Amino acid sequence: MENALEQGMTFRLELFVDDLPATVDFYHRVLGFTSGEQHHDGYTPITNGSVYLALNLRSALPNDHPIQAVAGERLGRGIEIVLGVDDVAAMYAHVLSERWPISAELRSQPWGAVDFRVVDPNGYYLRITSRK
């Protein structure tokens, strides 16, 4: 008998942002994502390989929505978005060439990966890492 909970799930992540054009520019120019069709309300799907993100305006959320940041709170607090790439050194060089600030320099980790960290225009923390 198959496990009823094994449903072949997929994963999408929706980021609510304040400045949609700056965010789309960052993910395109700095990280190489491609956009799908932007909806009339601002919802913008973006992809790179098998990573699917959706960008949406934080202003579209009601003030009492559970993920709405309060004044002064950094978006994405407590979350690290991990993106695995084939050539982390090439991605690091590209991010540097785009003059995007690096939060943690390229380095080898004790668990065997090589990675670096950046923060997107909204404060979401991203770890760009090699695949093992």
Side-chain angles (χ1 to χ4, degrees):
M1 180 172 172
E2 288 188 36
N3 182 342
L5 298 178
E6 291 182 19
Q7 297 290 320
M9 287 184 190
T10 60
F11 183 77
R12 294 186 307 211
L13 184 64
E14 188 167 0
L15 302 178
F16 287 88
V17 305
D18 291 321
D19 188 338
L20 190 57
T23 304
V24 169
D25 175 65
F26 166 78
Y27 282 95
H28 282 188
R29 182 175 52 83
V30 179
L31 296 183
F33 279 75
T34 302
S35 287
E37 185 176 339
Q38 187 175 69
H39 299 206
H40 72 281
D41 61 357
Y43 179 91
T44 307
I46 61 173
T47 59
N48 187 331
S50 62
V51 176
Y52 181 99
L53 300 177
L55 306 175
N56 209 343
L57 290 168
R58 189 165 65 95
S59 61
L61 292 172
N63 288 336
D64 63 347
H65 193 281
I67 64 169
Q68 182 68 272
V70 297
E73 184 179 36
R74 184 178 59 80
L75 295 176
R77 191 171 141 232
I79 297 171
E80 180 176 272
I81 300 168
V82 181
L83 302 172
V85 298
D86 291 329
D87 188 342
V88 70
M91 180 63 86
Y92 182 71
H94 176 75
V95 172
L96 289 175
S97 76
E98 292 295 328
R99 300 182 185 271
W100 194 263
I102 303 294
S103 294
E105 300 295 327
L106 185 68
R107 68 178 190 197
S108 295
Q109 299 295 349
W111 54 88
V114 177
D115 63 39
F116 68 97
R117 295 28 169 18
V118 296
V119 176
D120 87 352
N122 308 280
Y124 291 105
Y125 188 69
L126 304 161
R127 175 170 30 122
I128 316 300
T129 187
S130 60
R131 293 192 240 270
K132 286 179 125 185

